[in-house]
Amino acid sequence: MHKTTDSLFSALWNDYVSITPSAQRIHKLLTGEENSPQIVNDHVAFRTFALDKTQLSHLAEHFIALGYEAKGDYDFKSKKVTAKHFEHPDTTVPKVFISELRVAEFSAETQRIIQGLVEQMPASVVNAENFLYSGRHWQLSTQEYQSLISESEYAGWLAAWGFRANHFTVSVNHLNNIANLADVNTLLKEAGFVLNTSGGEIKGGESVYLAQSSTMADEYTLSFSDGSLTIPSCFYEFAQRYPLPDGKLYQGFVEASADKIFESTNSR
């Protein structure tokens, strides 16, 4: 496991931008630099399957070893997804949002495909230093991918991409030259980026202490066992946090908003 949060997030970022080149263009748009230190990450999100080998707790262990603590619990009923978020005592370190697909709630065919994929993965890989950005540990056919996507976009994305950051998130509160999320969205649209409009361009707002928006995922040509497909990879999120009555910025997540953010990896 990584010795420092810096080394872990640096490795996660390098893997993420390798399949999400728009992220560096967005950095440049917001700050004038492709890898600007002015960009503060609000949180990084991960997806996994709720099976013994791949359960949420295995991913969380990598962060808990670095001092993270479990905070909020979330249930996305329609997507059949459970999630937790984790925070580090050092508030300059990104929060972590880990979700898992409740495989047992899906059709027999979807369960069969997912269980078959995870069976191919050695149980020990979850302990490897690079596990959180190690990608896919199984053979996957285009037909299996299409079958999963037809029932759950989440399942198809995870089967195709494996273990890696699903998205990074710009903290709008820490941008030097842009005041609010609406202005960020305007800048992105003017530059030609496509935003996720599910539930509105801005999900949430001051009334729930968190406003969020995101780009739609980049398209990337990925190899499968029987060919290749151009499919959605990862996206970039933007979060603006508001103060609670005690004056401290809200640090949690809003289920109704996060539910729509998941859809940033839907096909356009």
Side-chain angles (χ1 to χ4, degrees):
M1 294 190 182
H2 278 260
K3 303 280 194 296
T4 67
T5 55
D6 282 353
S7 72
L8 173 55
F9 284 106
S10 176
L12 287 165
W13 174 259
N14 290 337
D15 174 69
Y16 165 75
V17 295
S18 73
I19 59 170
T20 320
S22 66
Q24 288 189 311
R25 298 203 307 276
I26 289 168
H27 265 219
K28 197 166 186 179
L29 182 69
L30 296 179
T31 67
E33 299 175 48
E34 283 199 350
N35 277 313
S36 171
Q38 297 168 46
I39 297 280
V40 173
N41 280 311
D42 180 87
H43 68 273
V44 180
F46 301 85
R47 296 179 179 184
T48 193
F49 295 122
L51 296 173
D52 287 347
K53 265 194 237 179
T54 55
Q55 60 195 5
L56 191 156
S57 61
H58 292 317
L59 281 70
E61 283 166 7
H62 289 260
F63 295 101
I64 289 166
L66 291 168
Y68 276 81
E69 297 166 1
K71 295 291 183 181
D73 292 281
Y74 310 89
D75 177 17
F76 302 96
K77 290 183 176 64
S78 67
K79 292 182 172 62
K80 302 171 184 170
V81 168
T82 303
K84 287 180 177 285
H85 97 264
F86 300 81
E87 295 175 26
H88 195 276
D90 179 349
T91 56
T92 66
V93 174
K95 287 171 281 294
V96 170
F97 187 90
I98 307 175
S99 59
E100 62 180 3
L101 192 76
R102 298 192 294 265
V103 179
E105 295 181 20
F106 285 87
S107 67
E109 176 64 2
T110 287
Q111 289 189 55
R112 183 192 68 76
I113 293 171
I114 293 172
Q115 286 163 355
L117 300 178
V118 174
E119 278 171 13
Q120 298 173 47
M121 180 182 118
S124 60
V125 301
V126 301
N127 300 316
E129 182 179 82
N130 72 339
F131 172 59
L132 294 169
Y133 48 95
S134 60
R136 194 166 80 203
H137 293 270
W138 43 73
Q139 289 291 309
L140 176 70
S141 70
T142 55
Q143 191 175 355
E144 287 170 327
Y145 171 75
Q146 301 287 12
S147 177
L148 291 175
I149 283 286
S150 70
E151 190 171 357
S152 165
E153 177 284 321
Y154 184 116
W157 187 93
L158 180 52
W161 292 107
F163 300 98
R164 52 178 18 112
N166 170 259
H167 64 272
F168 275 70
T169 309
V170 172
S171 170
V172 175
N173 299 74
H174 290 87
L175 291 174
N176 295 334
N177 51 345
I178 305 170
N180 58 55
L181 184 57
D183 289 349
V184 171
N185 287 352
T186 299
L187 198 62
L188 290 164
K189 287 185 292 184
E190 286 175 351
F193 291 99
V194 178
L195 297 184
N196 170 350
T197 57
S198 180
E201 270 182 13
I202 293 180
K203 298 106 172 70
E206 193 165 3
S207 63
V208 291
Y209 306 109
L210 175 63
Q212 295 165 271
S213 70
S214 60
T215 60
M216 291 301 287
D218 283 17
E219 297 278 314
Y220 194 92
T221 302
L222 187 65
S223 295
F224 292 79
S225 61
D226 57 347
S228 61
L229 292 172
T230 300
I231 64 170
S233 58
C234 303
F235 62 94
Y236 216 163
E237 187 187 329
F238 311 89
Q240 182 170 7
R241 296 183 178 275
Y242 293 91
L244 293 162
D246 65 5
K248 292 179 181 172
L249 283 184
Y250 176 67
Q251 295 298 313
F253 294 84
V254 178
E255 268 177 20
S257 302
D259 185 76
K260 301 302 183 187
I261 293 285
F262 278 121
E263 295 170 22
S264 303
T265 51
N266 287 5
S267 292
R268 297 186 191 180

